[in-house]
Amino acid sequence: MRTGVFHQNFASEERLWDSPTSRVWMAAFVLSLFTLPLWGSDYVLAMACIVGIHVIAALGLNLTTGNAGLISLSHGAFIGVGCYTVAWLGKQGVPFFIALPVAGFAAAFLGVIVGLPSLRVKGLYLAIATLAAHFILSFVFREWDAVTGGVSGTSIPRANLFGFELVGDRRNFYLIFICAFAMAVAARNLARTHIGRAFVAVRDRDISAEILGVHLLRTKLTAFAIGAFYAGVAGGLLGYFYGSITPDYFVLTLSVFYLAAVIVGGLGTVLGSVLGAVFMTFVPEALRLLASVSSQAFPGVAGLLLPMGQVVFGLLIIVFLIFEPHGLAAIWARVRRTFHLWPFRT
């Protein structure tokens, strides 16, 4: 238990940041984050925008898989639904602040449909059912030319706020991170409500949860809907960020990417979603930069290192999961506990 934190009522105990120190650090983090466009380079801002989109998508999958225990391999397809929804609505003249939540609700509606088999099947069988849904949606993305543009893809009108067009990384940065921060706080609060507790009960022992009064079908469909809603919003932001998209982006590896992110970061935690998204984004990028730097000193080595980057990345994940199965969030919790209890041992 941490020292120096004393709760005198339930309200103080339910705070998201329950100590003055944590509130100061969070305020400093938010301030530094939202001043990043003032001093960050174009590369840093582009990577930050990508991380922000990944964080939103990982938060949604962590609610479905980490909190409710429902494996989903269709998360990448839900992101595609959100992306194509804002593309089509934008071409109809719908403003982005309406199109973006509509994209989330469109993905949530499909999430409910995909989640219907979860009442009868679980585990690997549920994963296969969601995998089938992914391939069905991928087929729709390729063949529905009127909406998706088919194999060649489609362009996406830029987000426009009362005549102010959000073009470029610096302007999209604020849109992405305002959404990411708001949805992270919403996910943290959701976990403390009766809905979040029902998710955990279903994850740990669904039969016992049903005996205690938890409605299994409603809870599981809610988990799929909320997770898909987050994915739809992430897909809409992805479309506004890139400006155009093709079905090749929403392949199965995208769903595996997010599943690995929530496992590496830590299942069932908001911090785990954030850390996992950062890890999965920057480790491959670091390996690519290492190959680029090495090629300058040793010409021809880049051709060997670049294909090996994915192998090294996969080995890193395997080694990490063997030695820290609870993810990066558990490592961070131990670091915090060490500072809180110093000079005593944890």
Side-chain angles (χ1 to χ4, degrees), residues 41-51 169 241:
S41 64
D42 292 339
Y43 172 78
V44 170
L45 286 175
M47 292 302 297
C49 290
I50 294 172
V51 167
D169 298 339
F241 177 68

Side-chain angles (χ1 to χ4, degrees), residues 8-344:
Q8 298 180 350
N9 51 57
F10 289 113
S12 65
E13 190 173 3
E14 291 180 353
R15 290 173 180 168
L16 291 178
W17 300 284
D18 57 359
S19 69
T21 303
S22 62
R23 288 192 286 272
V24 169
W25 277 110
M26 179 54 63
F29 171 74
V30 172
L31 181 63
S32 62
L33 182 65
F34 280 85
T35 57
L36 183 62
L38 303 179
W39 51 269
S41 64
D42 292 339
Y43 172 78
V44 170
L45 286 175
M47 292 302 297
C49 290
I50 294 172
V51 167
I53 294 170
H54 288 337
V55 164
I56 296 174
L59 283 168
L61 184 59
N62 216 344
L63 287 171
T64 303
T65 301
N67 290 65
L70 304 171
I71 301 176
S72 174
L73 290 176
S74 56
H75 207 64
F78 294 146
I79 294 175
V81 170
C83 187
Y84 285 118
T85 299
V86 297
W88 186 80
L89 291 176
K91 293 176 181 178
Q92 311 306 313
V94 178
F96 86 94
F97 51 83
I98 296 177
L100 196 58
V102 169
F105 284 116
F109 174 76
L110 290 176
V112 171
I113 297 176
V114 172
L116 285 174
S118 64
L119 185 63
R120 295 296 182 186
V121 297
K122 62 178 67 175
L124 181 61
Y125 297 99
L126 179 59
I128 296 299
T130 59
L131 179 63
H134 172 87
F135 286 122
I136 292 172
L137 289 173
S138 296
F139 175 80
V140 173
F141 296 158
R142 292 193 306 269
E143 302 299 329
W144 198 3
D145 293 349
V147 175
T148 67
V151 178
S152 59
T154 184
S155 61
I156 302 166
R158 296 293 185 179
N160 190 299
L161 183 62
F162 305 117
F164 182 75
E165 195 172 41
L166 301 180
V167 179
D169 298 339
R170 296 182 188 276
R171 294 183 179 180
N172 277 289
F173 175 87
Y174 287 109
L175 172 63
I176 291 170
F177 272 91
I178 287 173
C179 292
F181 185 79
M183 299 186 81
V185 173
R188 180 67 181 87
N189 279 300
L190 178 68
R192 304 188 300 169
T193 64
H194 70 281
I195 297 176
R197 295 188 183 96
F199 286 175
V200 174
V202 170
R203 178 194 66 191
D204 292 343
R205 186 76 65 175
D206 56 352
I207 297 178
S208 300
E210 187 175 25
I211 293 173
L212 292 174
V214 176
H215 195 289
L216 284 187
L217 179 60
R218 182 169 61 238
T219 301
K220 290 182 177 182
L221 294 185
T222 301
F224 268 102
I226 294 176
F229 178 85
Y230 273 69
V233 172
L237 293 172
L238 181 75
Y240 289 132
F241 177 68
Y242 283 128
S244 61
I245 204 71
T246 65
D248 293 335
Y249 184 84
F250 310 109
V251 293
L252 180 60
T253 52
L254 183 63
S255 298
V256 176
F257 173 91
Y258 288 117
L259 191 59
V262 298
I263 293 174
V264 169
L267 290 169
T269 63
V270 172
L271 180 62
S273 302
V274 176
L275 295 178
V278 172
F279 179 88
M280 294 293 290
T281 303
F282 279 106
V283 169
E285 189 67 14
L287 293 174
R288 187 188 65 81
L289 291 176
L290 178 62
S292 177
V293 172
S294 301
S295 65
Q296 297 178 2
F298 305 98
V301 75
L304 177 64
L305 289 179
L306 284 177
M308 288 295 294
Q310 296 297 324
V311 177
V312 174
F313 182 46
L315 289 175
L316 278 174
I317 295 176
I318 294 172
V319 171
F320 183 85
L321 293 179
I322 291 174
F323 291 100
E324 187 47 77
H326 296 293
L328 289 167
I331 295 177
W332 176 245
R334 285 201 299 270
V335 171
R336 288 188 64 196
R337 191 162 55 247
T338 300
F339 282 100
H340 287 147
L341 299 180
W342 186 87
F344 305 103

